[in-house]
Amino acid sequence: MADEDETKEYRWESGYEKTWEAIKEDDDGLLESNVADLVARAKRKRAALKATGAIQLGMMRHLFVVVDASACMFLQDLKPTRFLCVLKLLEVFVHEFFDLNPISQLGILTTKMKRSEQITVLAGNQKKHIEALQQLKDLSCEGEPSLQNSLERAMNGLKNMPAHSSREILVLFGSLTTCDPGDIQKTIKALKDNNIRVSIIGLAAEVRICREIAKKTGGTYNVLIDDHHLKELILSQVQPPAVAGSIEASLVKMGFPGGTPSVNDGTSDSSADHAPAYCLCHIDSETSSLMGPNGYNCPQCGSRYCELPVECKQCGLTLVSAPHLARSYHHLFPIKPFIERAQVPDTTHCFACAKLFVEAETNVYECENCHQIVCLDCDLFIRETLHTCPGCASDPVTAQMKTN
């Protein structure tokens, strides 16, 4: 990887490219066929990235998102401003993150005036994170950012997380400078020692220290081209990272708390079950208040919580709901890549969507278990969203073999 990074040319170092020559007219003088070919090529590229193999992914993620709130975020190269554009895209990211990682936790930090401020703590409630992002729209961007202070604060919140979960930091950095109080190399070493993965998205130009942080911690570093590219880079962080080879599989004890019944349903006679109590999620915050009778009680120690998933502060038990665990199953056992084959005359339509194959689709995709043929669009949909082969699911024989 180091040799590849060193030999890779920058855009301004490469030769002159006539990009307009990639678009050509067809026999009728139209560009539709050429545009369709470009779209199909982009889909094949996505499929090639997805078909790298059945890589085991982490089910439980702990991620801190660091947003640059320095003076440079008021620039209008991204509309309406860099800061507002980033906040809007982060709302989409939070929704997609918890949809794909339901038993993971996320926190938000900002950095300005050479300091770092925590906006939300690590939690699994996407609604509160989105509300916090919406309130940040009125924040004034000023001063310089501090990359080291942000990483130190995020590391303090991640280093005590359990070893079976992934620890990640995503930095959205718009400045070309950072004002740090100490040696950032010591911070990088501490991040690496605590197995914390740092990924950085640059909003201006490449900064050497950002690339070094991402490289040494096993993260990624990219610089945006435009707002569409920024959205693509941010949403690429939704997919869980591959589990490190040194991490061994281990059993994790989890609790499934039931919701406390309301006072009016008559299912419980004990007044103690309905007594208001402080939620341990927010008992340390300044805005903590008494909860009503509704909530979740830890099955091991009885502590009250207002949201799931969460780790019990009293006994350390991970509290989740059954639907959360079921939606994370495909990370542990991902679907095998389909085999790409040349289109055969005997197969005229896609098994999944029943769409007829056209001449432009030269390749089709076959499941190695049920041997059903699907098109490129369905292959991407199965891999990114469905996570189950429709041919295997509809065949009782292959479905039984999969469950066994």
Side-chain angles (χ1 to χ4, degrees):
M1 287 295 294
D3 295 338
E4 292 180 4
D5 292 339
E6 291 175 1
T7 57
K8 183 180 179 181
E9 289 184 343
Y10 290 99
R11 184 79 178 199
W12 59 83
E13 294 177 332
S14 60
Y16 187 72
E17 297 180 11
K18 298 180 181 180
T19 54
W20 58 87
E21 292 184 353
I23 300 178
K24 297 179 181 180
E25 297 179 353
D26 57 11
D27 296 336
D28 298 328
L30 301 176
L31 298 176
E32 293 181 0
S33 60
N34 189 262
V35 172
D37 182 62
L38 292 175
V39 172
R41 196 181 307 168
K43 289 179 180 179
R44 284 194 294 269
K45 184 178 179 182
R46 281 171 55 197
L49 292 175
K50 295 288 182 181
T52 53
I55 302 174
Q56 187 179 13
L57 305 177
M59 285 179 63
M60 300 180 64
R61 302 173 66 187
H62 294 89
L63 171 68
F64 267 113
V65 179
V66 180
V67 182
D68 188 353
S70 60
C72 68
M73 296 298 285
F74 265 147
L75 295 177
Q76 296 183 351
D77 49 358
L78 298 175
K79 301 299 179 183
T81 63
R82 287 184 182 179
F83 191 63
L84 293 178
C85 180
V86 166
L87 293 181
K88 191 66 178 176
L89 292 177
L90 281 179
E91 291 183 28
V92 180
F93 169 78
V94 170
H95 177 75
E96 295 292 334
F97 178 83
F98 285 108
D99 184 61
L100 192 62
N101 309 276
I103 61 174
S104 299
Q105 296 185 9
L106 182 141
I108 302 173
L109 305 175
T110 59
T111 175
K112 66 174 185 176
M113 301 293 291
K114 308 171 187 177
R115 298 178 180 177
S116 178
E117 181 181 356
Q118 183 162 308
I119 305 302
T120 59
V121 298
L122 281 174
N125 190 334
Q126 64 170 311
K127 183 179 178 181
K128 292 186 177 180
H129 292 304
I130 293 177
E131 289 176 353
L133 289 172
Q134 292 173 348
Q135 294 174 0
L136 282 178
K137 293 179 180 178
D138 299 328
L139 182 70
S140 61
C141 299
E142 53 188 344
E144 289 185 83
S146 177
L147 199 54
Q148 185 180 17
N149 284 336
S150 302
L151 295 177
E152 290 280 357
R153 182 181 283 270
M155 181 170 58
N156 290 335
L158 291 173
K159 63 183 180 182
N160 294 323
M161 292 297 112
H164 57 261
S165 64
S166 64
R167 308 166 187 173
E168 305 168 55
I169 302 174
L170 173 62
V171 183
L172 297 164
F173 201 63
S175 176
L176 297 177
T177 60
T178 173
C179 187
D180 299 327
D183 185 6
I184 197 171
Q185 295 294 336
K186 295 181 180 179
T187 304
I188 297 174
K189 185 178 183 302
L191 289 167
K192 188 176 180 180
D193 293 340
N194 287 284
N195 295 321
I196 298 176
R197 181 178 183 264
V198 182
S199 297
I200 304 176
I201 298 176
L203 306 182
E206 181 171 324
V207 181
R208 180 182 177 277
I209 190 62
C210 293
R211 178 167 292 280
E212 184 177 350
I213 292 172
K215 182 179 179 181
K216 289 186 177 180
T217 59
T220 58
Y221 178 56
N222 295 283
V223 178
L224 66 87
I225 299 174
D226 52 22
D227 53 347
H228 298 289
H229 187 224
L230 175 61
K231 182 179 181 180
E232 182 181 333
L233 292 176
I234 292 177
L235 293 182
S236 66
Q237 301 294 326
V238 171
Q239 187 75 8
V243 174
S246 58
I247 299 179
E248 297 181 357
S250 59
L251 297 176
V252 181
K253 187 177 180 181
M254 290 187 176
F256 298 90
T260 304
S262 61
V263 179
N264 298 326
D265 63 4
T267 56
S268 177
D269 297 330
S270 175
S271 60
D273 293 338
H274 308 297
Y278 279 103
C279 166
L280 265 68
C281 303
H282 309 97
I283 196 170
D284 297 330
S285 64
E286 297 177 357
T287 59
S288 62
S289 59
L290 286 172
M291 287 181 60
N294 296 324
Y296 302 96
N297 290 338
C298 175
Q300 187 162 277
C301 66
S303 301
R304 181 78 64 85
Y305 294 92
C306 63
E307 62 186 24
L308 296 176
V310 69
E311 184 175 339
C312 182
K313 294 186 177 181
Q314 293 290 341
C315 61
L317 184 66
T318 301
L319 306 179
V320 298
S321 65
H324 287 155
L325 203 59
R327 285 165 55 196
S328 303
Y329 179 80
H330 62 268
H331 292 332
L332 286 180
F333 303 98
I335 187 172
K336 292 182 180 180
F338 286 5
I339 303 172
E340 185 175 359
R341 299 190 184 281
Q343 185 177 345
V344 292
D346 297 339
T347 306
T348 58
H349 64 278
C350 171
F351 175 81
C353 65
K355 182 182 71 174
L356 293 175
F357 291 129
V358 296
E359 295 180 359
E361 298 184 60
T362 56
N363 294 329
V364 293
Y365 300 85
E366 178 185 354
C367 174
E368 63 178 29
N369 293 327
C370 64
H371 303 291
Q372 297 291 351
I373 305 295
V374 298
C375 62
L376 177 59
D377 290 332
C378 290
D379 176 58
L380 288 173
F381 178 73
I382 292 169
R383 205 167 305 285
E384 296 176 348
T385 305
L386 197 59
H387 306 293
T388 301
C389 172
C392 296
S394 60
D395 187 354
V397 178
T398 55
Q400 185 67 24
M401 290 172 59
K402 189 173 182 180
T403 55
N404 292 336

